[in-house]
Amino acid sequence: MATPALTTQIQHRTPKGKFENEPFTDFSHGKHTNDMKAALSWVSDQLGREYPLVLGGERVRASATFTSVNPAKPAEVIGVHQAGGVTEANQAVEAALKSFESWKFAPLEERVSLLLRTAEIIKQRKFEFCAWLTYEVGKNWAEADADVAECIDFLDFYAREALRLAGSQTPIQFPGERDELKYIPLGVGAVIPPWNFPLAIMAGMTAAAIVTGNTVVVKPSPDAPTIAARFLDVLEEAGMPPGVVNLLQGDGPNCGNALVEHPKVRFIAFTGSRPVGLEIHEKAAKPRAGQIWIKRTILELGGKDATIVAADADVNAAVDGVIAAAFGFSGQKCSAGSRAIIEDSIYDVFVEKLRDGLEAISVSDPVTNPRMGPVINAAAHARVLRYIEAGKAEGRLVAGGHAVETESGGYYIEPTVFIDVDPKAKLAQEEIFGPVLAVMRVKSFDEALAVANGTEFGLTGAVYSTAPENLDRARREFHVGNLYLNRKCTGAMVGAHPFGGFNMSGTDSKAGGPEYLLHFTQAKTVAERLI
Ligand code: NAD
């Protein structure tokens, strides 16, 4: 069968040099501060626009819309979006199925070039994307910059990985045969990202899927739809043929679920909470009328990540690491260090230094670049405050504990610390996803490891210790997908720290690692007898 012609030609590109992470922006540099302020001002003029769905390259409107708002100023509308439902989900899958017929045969260089060109454009418009992240999800400048840098890294890294995968061979050539191993795409995928890394995670799952020849329907979080719409514009500018990535907006239970249950969806790449991930896992397992495959799910879920501080640790470094991991982006990271497990002999000193350290944390509108901004929405605000209230019976509140009231009605909460928390308490077991840290006292490093491993999660963890034997034990016994020694438990770098968790934290797909693209492919062997 002849390869159908692609409708758009992408100028071919190849990766330059070896992979290097996109450098973070130094905002103490006057030029960068000015660039960020200019971008914030430019984006502020774009707020409130209406965005269509993009299905098969067509702009589509739904019968209803919803708004995305600034969590620092809920009266400020960031974007008006189409509330897609089952009808639009079906249309999106049809569009993706149609384009799959050509995209699956597109030359690898074409797919790789699309990612590299997209990365180039985002690099050129870095401050603009940072500003969208600040307005739509409340990231301060450095957190926004890290999200954009990770997005660029994913695009570049997966482009290179696709080239590497295409060069793989069977380990053995059977005598008298030519044996091949090819990684072919799966089909149409549903990409369902969370709101907290609305650029990097959304773009990363999408890029991995399309560079391996799949086509997708992306259903962003209703809390971050505008960033996804802006990313789709960049893909189109980079030359993406219509229908390779389809943008569907809408809620999870109705719109997202329609994708999960669709018989023509071959795989679901999901990053989000444990309850939703498990629901998707269960629903995807049930074959629907007309479905001829077992759906694949790639599920990256929540965490209750712990930092162990051993008696011999550098306490100042540990305090800095715990504060950064617990309160960076208001604790709204899957890797947030929401538990600190401290050995008895340094417990009091640690708590004192921790309280001192919290004084430097300013909480206000991220446009002005404070250490901490708001939590994402009213429901999250109420949920975190409920945990704080209930936590008063589970531990001793020594810092924070209140909402921060402002005229703008932003969803602010003080950085909050409970000490003397029982390891079995809800504060120490459940993902709160807000600026709340539970501190626990342990008698030994043995006990510290047992407490650290004593939840149903297993995403990230950190250990501060100067004793090599403690670090070696942690390497063997701390059961997490991403372990950090003498550094904070957030901030995974593409390539260096492939990311994914154990137990209820997910399927351990290791985003940004050498096996990640395999999740989006199926391997076909061809053995030809030489005659
Ligand atoms: P969420 O589970 O509420 O939503 C995630 C996505 O799923 C959204 O797009 C949502 O609209 C959609 N959705 C909701 N219900 C659905 C349903 N029934 N069917 C289909 N789709 C549905 O999570 P969130 O609040 O957006 O993100 C925060 C969570 O994500 C936290 O638990 C955090 O730990 C986790 N997270 C994990 C990682 C990781 O790599 N492990 C990274 C970032 C965030």
Side-chain angles (χ1 to χ4, degrees), residues 96-247:
L97 275 169
K98 190 165 166 234
S99 67
F100 181 59
E101 289 311 309
S102 48
W103 187 246
K104 68 183 171 188
F105 294 125
L108 178 64
E109 299 72 35
E110 193 91 28
R111 308 199 299 239
V112 164
S113 298
L114 174 61
L115 266 57
L116 296 176
R117 176 85 184 106
T118 304
E120 278 170 27
I121 299 171
I122 293 182
K123 259 189 207 201
Q124 286 159 13
R125 290 166 47 186
K126 207 172 186 180
F127 292 103
E128 178 200 327
F129 271 96
C130 286
W132 281 110
L133 286 156
T134 296
Y135 284 117
E136 193 160 53
V137 297
K139 294 204 172 196
N140 70 16
W141 302 4
E143 296 287 354
D145 181 61
D147 197 328
V148 179
E150 190 176 20
C151 167
I152 294 167
D153 284 352
F154 278 141
L155 290 161
D156 186 0
F157 187 79
Y158 294 147
R160 292 163 193 268
E161 281 297 298
L163 290 168
R164 190 177 65 80
L165 200 62
S168 30
Q169 288 193 332
T170 56
I172 302 289
Q173 290 290 303
F174 193 73
E177 287 185 359
R178 185 155 63 95
D179 297 312
E180 292 171 75
L181 181 64
K182 297 245 174 276
Y183 291 94
I184 66 168
L186 292 167
V188 169
V191 172
I192 307 182
W195 59 265
N196 74 327
F197 279 84
L199 183 61
I201 293 181
M202 181 268 310
M205 294 194 292
T206 302
I210 64 174
V211 80
T212 41
N214 305 282
T215 56
V216 297
V217 178
V218 179
K219 206 293 296 161
S221 163
D223 283 309
T226 314
I227 288 153
R230 307 301 301 198
F231 179 70
L232 201 102
D233 285 348
V234 175
L235 284 173
E236 290 187 329
E237 189 184 330
M240 178 185 74
V244 170
V245 177
N246 300 278
L247 180 68

Side-chain angles (χ1 to χ4, degrees), residues 191-197 201 219-223 250-260 268 270-277 279-280 283 299-303 305 332-336 376-377 383 431 433 457 459 499-501 505-506 509 511:
V191 172
I192 307 182
W195 59 265
N196 74 327
F197 279 84
I201 293 181
K219 206 293 296 161
S221 163
D223 283 309
D251 71 347
N254 179 34
C255 184
N257 184 60
L259 292 177
V260 171
I268 298 142
F270 171 84
T271 307
S273 63
R274 170 195 175 282
V276 175
E279 185 185 331
I280 289 177
K283 287 188 169 158
L299 307 168
E300 293 311 316
L301 313 181
D305 310 302
Q332 301 174 109
K333 298 182 188 180
C334 56
S335 56
I376 188 66
N377 56 31
R383 185 193 64 237
E431 186 182 46
F433 221 57
F457 295 105
L459 188 48
F499 195 78
S505 290
S509 63

Side-chain angles (χ1 to χ4, degrees), residues 430-451:
E430 297 183 8
E431 186 182 46
I432 300 173
F433 221 57
V436 181
L437 172 70
V439 182
M440 288 163 268
R441 186 195 291 265
V442 288
K443 291 197 181 64
S444 62
F445 196 73
D446 274 338
E447 190 186 346
L449 281 171
V451 169

